[in-house]
Amino acid sequence: MQKLLIGLLALTALVSAGCDETKKLAGEVTGTWTSNPTPFIATDGSTATSIENIVFERDSTSNGGMVIITSLISSTGSFTGSSTIMSPFSVSAAAKSYISGHWTAVDDDELLLALDPATMTVEVDPDAVVITSDLNFSPETSPIDSIRPQIAGAMKATITQDLLQHYVSYQELDDVKVKGSTLQFEVKDEKHLLTRQGPAK
């Protein structure tokens, strides 16, 4: 009986220590973090890099809360031509994205994220779309302004689809560590490093 009691006390202490570590991690990651430019599209026809800004907001009664991810995206693509511009051309554009959901610390080095695809928004400014072509391309003979909205719409659709696929992998963040002003974690064995913005909360 005494051995059983000692065992139960030891188990209780172990569970309590684990809860304390989970609570500690939740407190450490709470705040705003920004990544370095990171590629998330790399195909033969297009590339895109993003700077992610992740905000972990913590509920007062749990080891989690709301998470907001905004991104500044730089995207380039190449096209074989269109009914308006017959020669091959390339396009570069800037975009902003937003997605939100909830996060929970479930261990001393693991976070679970539930991002809501319905909250996803992507903005591409047609006026900021840059179109370039070969030497035979003549701006005077090709109405660039008329196709900018079309190109912006196509790039928005591509970026939205790729971002949704990208964020599917964000369901589980492993090996989460906070060291000073840096947050590091792994997603499917890919390492991520972010820097804290503002004071720790």
Side-chain angles (χ1 to χ4, degrees):
M1 184 68 180
Q2 185 177 6
K3 290 183 179 180
L4 178 59
L5 180 59
I6 293 175
L8 289 174
L9 290 174
L11 179 60
T12 301
L14 183 61
V15 171
S16 178
C19 291
D20 288 343
E21 290 299 313
T22 303
K23 183 178 180 180
K24 178 183 176 184
L25 178 64
E28 288 178 338
V29 301
T30 300
T32 302
W33 306 86
T34 301
S35 73
N36 293 321
T38 304
F40 72 93
I41 299 176
T43 65
D44 293 338
S46 61
T47 60
T49 59
S50 70
I51 299 176
E52 288 185 339
N53 196 69
I54 304 180
V55 180
F56 293 103
E57 298 179 353
R58 185 181 179 187
D59 297 334
S60 59
T61 58
S62 69
N63 292 328
M66 186 174 184
V67 59
I68 299 171
I69 304 178
T70 55
S71 297
L72 298 177
I73 301 163
S74 176
S75 178
T76 62
S78 59
F79 298 84
T80 57
S82 69
S83 58
T84 307
I85 301 178
M86 300 306 296
S87 60
F89 61 96
S90 61
V91 175
S92 62
K96 298 178 181 179
S97 71
Y98 171 98
I99 191 169
S100 65
H102 290 83
W103 68 278
T104 305
V106 295
D107 204 342
D108 62 346
D109 65 349
E110 183 179 349
L111 301 180
L112 296 183
L113 269 63
L115 297 174
D116 183 359
T119 66
M120 167 74 79
T121 61
V122 176
E123 297 179 7
V124 179
D125 183 3
D127 294 333
V129 172
V130 177
I131 302 173
T132 57
S133 186
D134 60 25
L135 296 177
N136 295 323
F137 176 72
S138 173
E140 288 74 20
T141 59
S142 297
I144 296 178
D145 289 339
S146 66
I147 68 167
R148 277 202 177 100
Q150 177 185 351
I151 296 298
M155 298 192 79
K156 175 181 178 178
T158 298
I159 291 172
T160 300
Q161 180 179 4
D162 288 325
L163 275 177
L164 287 173
Q165 293 178 356
H166 170 68
Y167 286 133
V168 165
S169 65
Y170 270 45
Q171 294 178 0
E172 185 174 327
L173 310 186
D174 295 315
D175 295 329
V176 182
K177 294 181 179 65
V178 176
K179 296 181 178 179
S181 62
T182 62
L183 167 66
Q184 61 185 50
F185 58 83
E186 292 186 6
V187 176
K188 296 187 180 299
D189 296 325
E190 181 179 340
K191 293 185 177 179
H192 295 254
L193 184 67
L194 295 86
T195 303
R196 185 186 293 278
Q197 304 300 312
K201 295 184 179 180

